[in-house]
Amino acid sequence: MEKSSSSNGYTPKNGTVATAKSGSGGMSEQDESERLSADLALFLSDPNLQSALADGSLDLSSYSSTINSELSTLERECIALHRQAAPDIRTLREEMDVCDSILAGLHEMLLGFQADLSGLSGDIRQLQDQSRSLAVQVDNRRDAEEGLRLFLERIVVPPNLAHVICRGEVDELFLECVKDLEEKYAYVQIAEENLNDPDCPDPGLVSSAGIPPALTVAGREMVEHLSKLRLQAVDRTRAYFLNVMKQLRRPKTHVRMIQSHALLKYEYLVDFLLVASPTVHAEIRDVYVESMSKTLYTLFRTYHKQLLLLDMRLATRVDLIAVEEAALRDAFSTKVNMRKRGDAFVLGDRAKVLDGAITAETGGDAATVLTSSPINAHLALMNGDKYSYEMIFRSIMSHLIDSATNEFVFARQFFKEYGQDDCWHSIFGKTLSLVLEQTENYLFNCHDAIGILLMIKLTHYYKRMVTARGIDKVMEPFLDRVTNLFWPRLKMVMDAHLRSIRGANPKKVGAGDIHAHLVSRRYAEFTCSILLILNRGRKTTGESSLNGLPNGSPGKPTDKPTLRGSAGDMLVNDLDVMVEEMILLLKRLSDVHLTNKKRIIFMINNLDSIITIFKERRVSGREMNRFSELLVQQRELFVEEELLQTFSKMIAFVQQTEAHMSRITAPRGARGVAAPADVVNPEVVESLVHEFASNWKSGIEQINRNVLSYFSNFRNGMEILKQVLTQLLLYYTRFQDVIRKVWRGKPPSFCKDLVSTSVILAEIKKHALSI
C-alpha cells in the first residue's frame, strides 16, 4: 500500500513542509497559503489516500519513514549516475573551450574587415560625386548640341534643296523642298514682336537659346540667301502653272485629269504664291479662269453642234392633234403616210429619259446620276443614231452639272476662295449663257409638247441634284431661267393644239367612216403621254399633277390641284379644256353621217378608242371618267336604235300600252284593269306574238352581225351585244307582263305561241359563249 501511494505521486508531509520552508524566504504568506491549498487538493485527489483516510487505516508516521527511505535510495542512485557521466562532461567542457577560442579569432577577423570597409566607402562616395559631376557636364553639352543642331537645321540651306529649287523638275520633291524653304524663311523672320503670334514656329525660342532668330548673326546672314531661293521658287512655280494651263486650252484635253494630277497635286504651291508673290498668284488665277472659260465654252458649243445632227425632230408646225388631212399625205400620193400618224404624240420609250431621275424623286439618292450615260456624239454619228431632243438636253445638262460641280469643288480647293465673288462665276458665266441661248434658239421652232414637258421634269430633277451636291447657290438661278424658257413655250404648243381642235371640221380633218377617227387616237395618245409624264414616279396616275404639285384629296379623282395660278395648274386646266373641246369636235364630225344610228356608232367607236388607249397606258382620272360617262350614254342610245330596227313594233306597243295602262284606274272590286278591247287590240297583240315567235332568232342573228360590223373593237362590240340582247329580253318580259295584266281571267289562245324567256335567255347565253 505504501508503494502504491508513492507511485501515485503522493508527496510526504515532511518533504512538503521542507519545500515550503525553503521557499518561504522569498514568498509571501498569501503565496504559501495558496501553495498549501494546492498540495492539500493534490493529496485529496488520490483515491487510495482518500479511502485510507476515510476508514482510518493510514498511519502517517510509518508512511513518512517509508517516503524518506525511498528518497535516500534515489539520491544514491543519482550520485552514482553522475559519477559515471563525469568523463563525458569533462570532454564536453574541453570542446566548448576550443569553440570559444575559435569564435574569438573570428571576432577579431571581422573587426579587421569592418575597418577595411569603412575606408572603401569613403572612396566610393568620392567616385559617386565625380560621376554626378561628369553626368551634368554631358547633359549640358548634349543640350547645347541639340539646340545648335535644331538652330542650324532651321536656318542652313542644304545643297540638294538649293539644287532642286533652282534646277530640278517641279514634282513631289520640289514641293517638299518649297515647304522646307518656307519653314526656314518663316523661322529666320521671327523677331520679338512675333513671339505672341499663334502661327509663330518657335514661340519659346527654344532652338535659338532664347534669342529671336532674326537678331542672330546667322539669321541675318541667311535671310538674303533664303529670299533669293524664294524668288527662284516663285519663278519656277509660275512657269509650271502657266505651262499646265496652256495644256488646258488644247483641243481634246482631259481637263479633269490635268486638274487632278497636275494642279490639285500641287495646291500648296498656290498657297505659297499667295504668300510669297500675290501678284503672280493673281496672274495664275486670271490665266486659269480665262483658259477654263474658253475651254468649257468651246467644248459645250461643239458638243451641242454635234448633238443637233442627231436630233430626229419628232414634231413640226403641222403636227397637231386635229391636223388637216392634206398634211398627212405625201406630195405625190393621195394615201396617208403612216409615218406621220403619231410619233409626236406617243410617249413610248421616250419616258426612259427620266430613268434615274424618278428613282431620286421617289426616295432615292438625289445626287445619283441617271441610269444611262450621256450621248457619245462621235459614236452616235458613226453609227447613224438619232435621238429625241430631250435626250440631247439631258446629255448637255448632265455634262454641264458635272462640270459645274467639278469646278465648284476645284476652285475652292485650289484657290481657297469661298465668297460670292469667287472665280466659279467667271469660269462658267459664258458657258451658262451659251446653253441658255442654245435652248432658247431650239424652242423657237419646237412644237413637241411631250419633249418640252420631259425637259421640265429633267430640270426639276437637276434642281434636286445640285441641292444634294451643295452647288444650288450657283446653279439654281440658271435652272430657274431654263424652266422659265420651257413653260411659256409649252403653253404656246398646248394653245396650238387647242386651236386645232376648236377649228377642226369634217372638211379639214376628213369625214371618215363610222370607225375611230385619227384625231381621237392622236388626242388619246397625247393626253396619256402628258399625264404619264406629270405623274411619272407616282404610285398612281389618277390625277393630273406636276412634279411637286399636290393632287386633290384622296378618293376624289375629279378634284383640282390646290395651287392655283402655278404653271402646273395652267397645264391641268388646258387638259380639262381639251377634253370638252374634243367632245365637241367628235359631235361635229358625227354630224356628217345622215342617220342618228351612224352618228351614235361613230361616237361610240371614237370614245371607245380613247378609253382603250387610256387603259393600255394605265392612265385614269378626270379625263377617262368623263369619256366613260359619255360612252355609257351613247351605248344606251345605240341599244334603243338597234332594237327599234328589228323589233320596233313590239317596243312601240309596250311603251304605248304601259303608258296607257298607267292612266287607267280600275273600279273598286273589279277583277281586271279593263276589258281587253278597251286597252289593246287583241288582233294586234296576236300578230305581234306570232311575228316575234317567227323572227326573234333571225333578229338576234342580225343584231349580232350588225354589232360585229359596226364596232372595230371586238371587246367593245361584245359588251354592246350583251347590252342589246339583255334589253331585248327586258322588252319581251314587259310585253308578256302587259298580256298577263290585260287578260287576267282567261289568257287568249295565242298565248301558247309566246316564246319562253328561258329559251331567249339560252339563246343569248349561246351567243355569249360563242364570243
Side-chain angles (χ1 to χ4, degrees):
M1 181 176 178
E2 293 175 356
K3 188 176 179 178
S4 176
S5 299
S6 175
S7 63
N8 289 335
Y10 174 73
T11 305
K13 185 177 179 182
N14 295 337
T16 303
V17 174
T19 304
K21 288 182 178 179
S22 63
S24 60
M27 299 179 62
S28 61
E29 294 180 356
Q30 184 179 359
D31 293 337
E32 289 180 357
S33 62
E34 290 178 356
R35 183 172 181 178
L36 181 58
S37 299
D39 290 341
L40 291 175
L42 180 62
F43 291 154
L44 293 177
S45 63
D46 188 355
N48 296 326
L49 183 59
Q50 288 181 359
S51 62
L53 290 175
D55 56 11
S57 60
L58 180 62
D59 189 3
L60 293 178
S61 61
S62 60
Y63 184 73
S64 175
S65 62
T66 301
I67 293 302
N68 288 329
S69 64
E70 289 178 358
L71 287 174
S72 299
T73 302
L74 290 174
E75 182 177 1
R76 286 192 298 272
E77 290 176 357
C78 182
I79 291 171
L81 290 174
H82 182 74
R83 287 177 179 174
Q84 290 177 0
D88 295 335
I89 294 173
R90 189 181 302 112
T91 302
L92 181 60
R93 177 58 182 259
E94 292 175 356
E95 291 178 357
M96 291 176 64
D97 292 339
V98 172
C99 289
D100 288 339
S101 63
I102 292 172
L103 291 174
L106 290 175
H107 180 66
E108 293 178 358
M109 185 183 298
L110 292 175
L111 291 175
F113 287 160
Q114 183 179 5
D116 294 339
L117 289 175
S118 62
L120 290 174
S121 63
D123 296 338
I124 291 173
R125 283 194 296 272
Q126 184 179 0
L127 291 176
Q128 288 177 345
D129 294 338
Q130 292 178 359
S131 175
R132 282 193 292 270
S133 177
L134 291 175
V136 172
Q137 294 177 8
V138 169
D139 291 340
N140 292 337
R141 291 183 181 182
R142 229 173 245 170
D143 293 340
E145 179 184 359
E146 182 67 18
L148 184 60
R149 182 182 65 80
L150 292 176
F151 181 73
L152 293 177
E153 284 181 354
R154 290 194 169 191
I155 66 170
V156 174
V157 178
N160 59 340
L161 185 146
H163 176 76
V164 169
I165 291 178
C166 295
R167 300 181 182 180
E169 295 291 334
V170 178
D171 52 11
E172 290 85 352
L173 181 59
F174 180 85
L175 181 64
E176 294 299 326
C177 291
V178 172
K179 289 181 180 179
D180 292 342
L181 177 63
E182 277 300 284
E183 291 178 359
K184 295 178 185 299
Y185 186 78
Y187 181 73
V188 299
Q189 294 291 327
I190 297 177
E192 292 183 357
E193 58 271 14
N194 304 125
L195 295 179
N196 296 326
D197 191 349
D199 296 330
C200 180
D202 190 10
L205 301 177
V206 176
S207 59
S208 59
I211 303 174
L215 302 180
T216 62
V217 176
R220 289 193 296 269
E221 181 180 351
M222 290 305 299
V223 167
E224 182 179 356
H225 299 292
L226 293 173
S227 299
K228 292 179 180 179
L229 277 178
R230 287 184 86 214
L231 293 176
Q232 187 67 25
V234 168
D235 185 65
R236 296 290 308 285
T237 303
R238 174 181 177 276
Y240 171 77
F241 281 134
L242 291 179
N243 183 47
V244 171
M245 292 169 189
K246 183 178 179 181
Q247 298 176 12
L248 291 175
R249 294 191 292 269
R250 294 177 183 175
K252 300 180 181 180
T253 299
H254 199 307
V255 175
R256 292 188 183 179
M257 188 69 70
I258 293 178
Q259 288 178 339
S260 175
H261 292 80
L263 293 178
L264 284 178
K265 191 175 181 179
Y266 303 105
E267 61 176 303
Y268 175 80
L269 296 180
V270 179
D271 301 336
F272 165 71
L273 290 178
L274 182 62
V275 176
S277 180
T279 305
V280 175
H281 178 273
E283 178 187 3
I284 297 299
R285 179 186 180 278
D286 294 341
V287 171
Y288 175 79
V289 169
E290 182 181 1
S291 300
M292 281 305 300
S293 177
K294 291 181 178 179
T295 300
L296 291 172
Y297 182 86
T298 304
L299 285 175
F300 279 94
R301 183 182 61 186
T302 305
Y303 186 57
H304 184 265
K305 185 177 180 180
Q306 293 173 340
L307 292 181
L308 283 181
L309 300 176
L310 308 176
D311 184 19
M312 61 177 62
R313 280 284 178 179
L314 293 174
T316 60
R317 187 185 301 273
V318 296
D319 287 316
L320 302 172
I321 293 177
V323 64
E324 294 186 12
E325 190 175 13
L328 298 176
R329 303 184 185 277
D330 289 330
F332 304 100
S333 174
T334 58
K335 296 182 179 180
V336 174
N337 187 352
M338 298 301 294
R339 292 178 297 177
K340 298 181 180 180
R341 293 179 69 88
D343 291 341
F345 304 93
V346 180
L347 181 61
D349 293 336
R350 297 176 68 179
K352 291 182 179 179
V353 74
L354 300 178
D355 291 348
I358 300 306
T359 302
E361 182 178 315
T362 55
D365 184 8
T368 58
V369 296
L370 297 176
T371 54
S372 58
S373 59
I375 300 172
N376 189 321
H378 298 289
L379 292 179
L381 289 172
M382 290 174 58
N383 299 330
D385 297 332
K386 292 293 183 179
Y387 297 92
S388 56
Y389 190 77
E390 63 268 12
M391 290 291 293
I392 295 174
F393 174 76
R394 190 192 71 173
S395 298
I396 294 174
M397 293 302 294
S398 296
H399 281 306
L400 180 67
I401 291 178
D402 288 344
S403 300
T405 304
N406 179 71
E407 285 301 318
F408 188 84
V409 175
F410 175 83
R412 279 155 175 71
Q413 186 175 354
F414 193 66
F415 292 110
K416 306 297 187 298
E417 295 179 351
Y418 302 95
Q420 295 295 330
D421 298 329
D422 56 13
C423 61
W424 188 92
H425 295 281
S426 302
I427 294 172
F428 261 88
K430 293 182 179 179
T431 303
L432 297 180
S433 299
L434 172 68
V435 175
L436 283 173
E437 181 181 357
Q438 292 170 343
T439 305
E440 188 174 8
N441 291 338
Y442 182 83
L443 290 176
F444 280 148
N445 196 30
C446 179
H447 304 276
D448 185 7
I450 296 176
I452 296 175
L453 191 55
L454 286 172
M455 289 187 284
I456 291 174
K457 273 289 226 185
L458 285 172
T459 306
H460 281 282
Y461 162 70
Y462 287 125
K463 283 185 179 181
R464 293 190 298 275
M465 177 185 284
V466 299
T467 301
R469 294 185 178 184
I471 60 171
D472 50 314
K473 291 183 179 180
V474 295
M475 283 300 295
E476 193 165 356
F478 164 75
L479 294 174
D480 289 337
R481 294 178 63 185
V482 173
T483 305
N484 292 335
L485 292 177
F486 286 138
W487 278 113
R489 186 62 192 179
L490 179 61
K491 177 61 177 174
M492 292 177 62
V493 176
M494 291 294 294
D495 290 342
H497 285 296
L498 282 172
R499 286 195 301 271
S500 70
I501 296 175
R502 287 195 185 103
N505 54 55
K507 185 177 180 180
K508 285 185 178 181
V509 299
D513 52 12
I514 60 175
H515 297 291
H517 198 280
L518 173 62
V519 174
S520 300
R521 289 192 288 271
R522 280 195 166 198
Y523 164 78
E525 291 287 1
F526 179 78
T527 305
C528 287
S529 299
I530 295 296
L531 293 177
L532 285 172
I533 296 172
L534 289 177
N535 298 279
R536 180 75 170 175
R538 300 175 61 85
K539 294 183 179 179
T540 61
T541 56
E543 280 300 316
S544 304
S545 64
L546 191 63
N547 174 34
L549 189 66
N551 285 344
S553 302
K556 297 181 180 179
T558 59
D559 289 346
K560 300 278 186 174
T562 56
L563 296 179
R564 284 297 172 193
S566 67
D569 286 327
M570 175 188 68
L571 182 58
V572 173
N573 291 335
D574 288 343
L575 291 177
D576 293 340
V577 174
M578 193 176 290
V579 170
E580 301 303 325
E581 293 294 338
M582 188 64 199
I583 294 174
L584 295 176
L585 174 59
L586 292 178
K587 291 180 180 179
R588 291 197 299 272
L589 295 178
S590 67
D591 291 339
V592 177
H593 300 285
L594 300 178
T595 64
N596 186 44
K597 183 178 180 180
K598 286 189 175 181
R599 287 193 288 270
I600 295 173
I601 295 171
F602 176 82
M603 290 292 294
I604 291 176
N605 280 325
N606 282 274
L607 293 173
D608 177 69
S609 175
I610 294 173
I611 293 173
T612 300
I613 293 175
F614 270 74
K615 291 181 178 179
E616 289 176 353
R617 303 296 181 264
R618 297 181 180 180
V619 177
S620 60
R622 294 192 295 268
E623 296 79 9
M624 185 173 177
N625 293 337
R626 181 72 174 91
F627 288 113
S628 298
E629 293 172 359
L630 192 59
L631 178 61
V632 170
Q633 298 173 5
Q634 295 298 320
R635 281 179 174 177
E636 293 175 354
L637 294 176
F638 173 78
V639 168
E640 298 295 331
E641 290 288 337
E642 184 63 24
L643 292 176
L644 287 175
Q645 183 177 348
T646 309
F647 303 99
S648 58
K649 294 180 180 180
M650 183 189 70
I651 293 173
F653 172 78
V654 170
Q655 292 175 347
Q656 293 173 4
T657 303
E658 287 180 345
H660 181 63
M661 291 175 65
S662 65
R663 293 193 295 269
I664 297 176
T665 57
R668 182 173 298 178
R671 294 181 62 187
V673 176
D678 296 338
V679 179
V680 296
N681 188 350
E683 296 178 357
V684 173
V685 176
E686 183 177 3
S687 64
L688 290 176
V689 170
H690 292 157
E691 181 180 356
F692 185 84
S694 59
N695 297 330
W696 70 275
K697 284 189 177 181
S698 60
I700 290 178
E701 292 292 341
Q702 182 62 35
I703 291 173
N704 184 31
R705 288 192 297 271
N706 290 342
V707 169
L708 292 178
S709 63
Y710 291 155
F711 305 107
S712 55
N713 186 351
F714 182 76
R715 181 174 296 178
N716 177 49
M718 291 304 100
E719 291 293 332
I720 294 176
L721 178 60
K722 292 179 183 179
Q723 193 171 347
V724 172
L725 297 180
T726 302
Q727 187 65 26
L728 173 62
L729 182 61
L730 292 175
Y731 271 125
Y732 190 67
T733 302
R734 290 163 60 186
F735 177 66
Q736 290 179 336
D737 291 341
V738 169
I739 295 175
R740 283 194 296 269
K741 289 179 180 179
V742 173
W743 285 282
R744 289 191 176 184
K746 182 180 179 181
S749 59
F750 56 80
C751 286
K752 64 180 183 297
D753 295 328
L754 287 172
V755 181
S756 174
T757 56
S758 61
V759 176
I760 300 176
L761 184 60
E763 186 70 17
I764 292 175
K765 290 182 178 179
K766 182 172 40 175
H767 280 280
L769 293 175
S770 65
I771 296 173

